[in-house]
């Protein structure tokens, strides 16, 4: 029936080809048939397995072969890659491609990005079964959309609108009749089977893909063949047994990559202890064999322990204390000085001490004659009239006192030089000991000159002179 419009009569509807995305009745279960396998994500959930045959694990060898052929979707926009996998458990035939090649719906995610995936057929091996017919590579290339489109639409639709990972779990497929029918055609010329090698991968040019596929289909040996690669670098070659690539010009046997080096053994934990750490010695007796660096192979030095840190801090505190107050602990060497005239042991030096006579502590330079201004004489009650009172037993002059002999210059009494103390540190005596600065002596009255007894009419007390100074005669 036709209707007239302003553009003329409508043409009669022609018989349109069947829509591969249209719903259809499920195929009957066929013993020994082929089960569908679909790998692709849903519209919202990043869950990739859509359909798995019974007995096939998502982490097993069949799933590994599918992921190796997909290779993250790299360069699938240039064309599909065909996979033939055979082991002792079964045979898998399929293709990895952009899903827009086999379907018009459900080919973009919610962000509008085109989706890629894998559609294939798996047949489990049975005892005494010769195996079903495997289609030729030319058949798969020609009927890919016709065979894979309905399978993809059937198994992606139940989980396409899933919003959670639990709803996007894969479905288990059943064995049905294969989409290819009829007997196998003649093998292409030059089809020579290359047995799989465990120590390498057979790489052939893309022009040999049909012959290699036919040889693999007619053999019963183990194989993992992927054709349609544009670059050999896109494939993880050591996961396959046979490959064909467009950038290959001649046959090659790709050796597997060398295994990674074993990890270095852990270094033993350093044990902190007194003295230098024991270790191997290198040239010249240096530790570590690095010429005196004390390290082995550039390894970092171990962290100091708490005890070592505490002892180092205590040494620094002692040095600071000696720098501030001039203290020097026995048994520790002072800072290096320039070479000069040596002094006898025990001469000079700053010392703490107790003065038994004055009943106080002193702090000063011992046994050194004064070359500058001396400290004032002690109070009268601490002096014997000839020498100032001593403020320490170590400050007494050990040399015998007596009149100066010929050629010997008379020396005055020895005084101990003391250190001047700042006025702001006068209140530190309770912490560091009293300083030896005595109180200033009270002013003394000038000595009275005795008068002439002949003028005063009285004799001055004390012994009379042995002679008369006025006459020179004995009195």
């Amino acid at each position: 029936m036709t209707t007239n419009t302003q553009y003329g009569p409508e043409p009669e509807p022609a018989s349109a080809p069947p829509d591969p995305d249209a719903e259809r009745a499920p195929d009957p279960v066929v013993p020994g048939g082929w089960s569908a396998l679909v790998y692709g994500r849903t519209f919202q959930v990043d869950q990739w397995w859509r359909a798995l045959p019974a007995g096939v694990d998502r982490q097993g060898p069949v799933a590994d072969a599918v992921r190796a052929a997909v290779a993250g979707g790299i360069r699938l926009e240039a064309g599909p890659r065909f996979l033939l996998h055979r082991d002792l458990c079964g045979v898998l035939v399929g293709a990895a491609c952009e899903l827009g090649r086999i379907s018009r719906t459900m080919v973009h995610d919610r962000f509008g990005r085109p989706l890629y995936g894998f559609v294939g057929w798996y047949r489990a091996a049975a005892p005494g079964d010769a195996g079903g017919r495997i289609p030729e590579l030319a058949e798969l290339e020609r009927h890919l959309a016709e065979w894979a489109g309905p399978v993809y639409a059937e198994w992606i639709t139940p989980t396409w609108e899933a919003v959670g990972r639990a709803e996007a779990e894969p479905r288990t497929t059943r064995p049905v009749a294969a989409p290819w029918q009829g007997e196998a055609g003649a093998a292409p010329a030059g089809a020579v089977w290359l047995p799989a090698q465990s120590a390498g991968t057979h790489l052939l040019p893309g022009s040999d893909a049909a012959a290699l596929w036919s040889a693999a289909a007619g053999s019963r040996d183990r194989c993992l063949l992927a054709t349609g690669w544009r670059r050999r670098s896109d494939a993880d070659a050591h996961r396959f047994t046979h490959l064909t690539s467009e950038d290959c010009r001649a046959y090659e046997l790709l050796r597997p990559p060398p295994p990674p080096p074993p990890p270095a053994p852990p270094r033993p934990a350093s044990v902190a202890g007194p003295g230098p750490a024991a270790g191997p010695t290198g040239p010249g007796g240096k530790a570590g064999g690095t010429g005196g660096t004390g390290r082995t192979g550039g390894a970092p030095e171990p962290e100091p322990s708490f005890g070592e840190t505490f002892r180092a801090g205590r040494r620094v505190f002692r040095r600071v204390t000696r720098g501030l107050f001039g203290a020097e602990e026995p048994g520790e060497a002072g800072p290096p000085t320039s070479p000069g005239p040596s002094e006898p042991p025990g001469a000079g030096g700053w010392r703490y001490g107790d003065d038994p006579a004055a009943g106080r502590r002193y702090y000063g330079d011992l046994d050194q004659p004064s070359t500058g201004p001396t400290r004032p004489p002690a109070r009268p009650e601490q002096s014997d009239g000839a020498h100032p009172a001593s403020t320490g037993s170590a400050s007494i002059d050990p040399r015998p006192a007596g009149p100066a002999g010929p050629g010997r210059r008379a020396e005055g009494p020895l005084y101990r030089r003391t250190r001047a103390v700042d006025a702001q540190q006068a209140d530190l005596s309770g912490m560091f000991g009293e300083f030896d600065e005595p109180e200033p002596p009270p002013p003394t009255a000038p000595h009275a000159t005795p008068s002439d007894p002949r003028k005063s009419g009285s004799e001055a007390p004390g012994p009379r002179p042995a002679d008369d100074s006025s006459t020179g005669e004995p009195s």
Side-chain angles (χ1 to χ4, degrees):
M1 176 180 178
T2 61
T3 58
N4 294 327
T5 63
Q6 58 179 348
Y7 300 106
E10 292 183 356
E12 293 290 340
S15 58
D19 186 2
D21 297 336
E23 295 184 1
R24 60 187 180 88
D27 296 334
V29 176
V30 176
W34 297 79
S35 302
L37 185 148
V38 180
Y39 178 79
R41 61 161 295 169
T42 65
F43 181 68
Q44 301 186 54
V45 184
D46 193 12
Q47 184 87 330
W48 286 83
W49 288 107
R50 304 274 56 81
L52 279 172
V56 175
D57 187 9
R58 280 180 282 186
Q59 304 301 328
V62 176
D64 289 343
V66 171
R67 284 189 289 263
V70 173
I74 184 171
R75 260 181 276 279
L76 283 178
E77 68 279 0
R81 289 192 285 266
F82 297 92
L83 176 70
L84 173 57
H85 170 63
R86 178 190 289 112
D87 58 9
L88 297 178
C89 298
V91 180
L92 173 67
V93 178
C97 62
E98 284 196 345
L99 297 176
R101 290 180 175 269
I102 60 176
S103 179
R104 291 177 296 180
T105 60
M106 300 177 290
V107 294
H108 294 85
D109 64 358
R110 60 192 181 102
F111 300 105
R113 296 174 297 185
L115 297 178
Y116 57 87
F118 181 91
V119 177
W121 297 266
Y122 179 77
R123 187 177 189 276
D129 186 7
R133 185 180 79 88
I134 298 177
E136 296 294 335
L137 183 61
E139 293 181 81
L140 282 176
E141 292 175 350
R142 185 169 55 252
H143 301 286
L144 179 61
E146 178 185 352
W147 294 346
V151 175
Y152 173 74
E154 177 184 359
W155 295 104
I156 193 67
T157 302
T159 56
W160 176 250
E161 299 291 341
V163 294
R165 300 186 68 87
E167 300 176 9
E169 286 296 313
R171 306 297 179 92
T172 302
T173 60
R174 57 194 180 278
V176 296
W180 53 87
Q181 301 295 332
E183 296 295 333
V192 179
W193 172 241
L194 301 173
Q197 294 189 11
S198 59
T201 301
H202 301 287
L203 176 63
L204 286 83
S207 57
D208 297 339
L212 180 62
W213 182 280
S214 179
S219 174
R220 295 293 180 262
D221 295 340
R222 178 183 67 90
C223 72
L224 179 53
L225 166 64
T227 65
W229 296 94
R230 296 305 184 267
R231 299 179 184 176
R232 68 175 73 185
S233 58
D234 296 340
D236 197 356
H238 72 278
R239 302 175 65 178
F240 297 91
T241 60
H242 300 77
L243 291 173
T244 63
S245 177
E246 297 298 334
D247 62 348
C248 178
R249 298 293 178 263
Y251 167 79
E252 295 183 32
L253 181 61
L254 303 179
R255 297 295 182 181
R267 295 182 57 193
S270 60
V271 179
T281 58
K286 303 294 184 178
T290 58
T293 60
R295 301 182 182 181
T296 57
E301 297 181 354
E303 294 291 337
S305 62
F306 175 77
E308 294 176 350
T309 305
F310 177 77
R311 287 191 290 270
R314 186 169 58 182
R315 288 193 295 269
V316 172
F317 178 75
R318 290 175 180 174
R319 295 190 185 102
V320 172
T321 305
R322 290 198 300 269
L324 291 177
F325 305 106
E328 181 179 344
E329 296 186 2
E332 293 194 8
T337 58
S338 59
S342 60
E343 297 183 356
W350 298 89
R351 294 289 188 272
Y352 279 109
D354 296 327
D355 187 357
R360 60 188 302 172
R361 305 188 72 182
Y362 67 86
Y363 179 49
D365 195 359
L366 305 181
D367 300 335
Q368 295 292 338
S370 175
T371 58
T374 60
R375 49 183 301 192
R379 291 188 293 271
E381 62 271 11
Q382 297 180 359
S383 174
D384 57 359
H387 295 82
S390 173
T391 58
S393 59
S395 64
I396 301 177
D397 187 7
R399 292 172 293 183
R408 179 180 179 185
R409 183 167 56 90
E411 299 180 358
L414 298 177
Y415 295 97
R416 176 171 52 83
R417 291 182 299 175
T418 60
R419 177 181 170 187
V421 180
D422 188 72
Q424 296 180 357
Q425 298 180 353
D427 56 345
L428 299 180
S429 60
M431 180 181 296
F432 300 98
E434 298 181 356
F435 295 97
D436 56 342
E437 292 292 340
E439 299 179 0
T444 57
H447 296 284
T449 305
S451 60
D452 192 352
R454 289 174 294 183
K455 295 181 180 180
S456 61
S458 62
E459 294 183 359
R464 298 183 61 181
D467 56 1
D468 191 349
S469 60
S470 61
T471 59
E473 299 178 357
S475 58

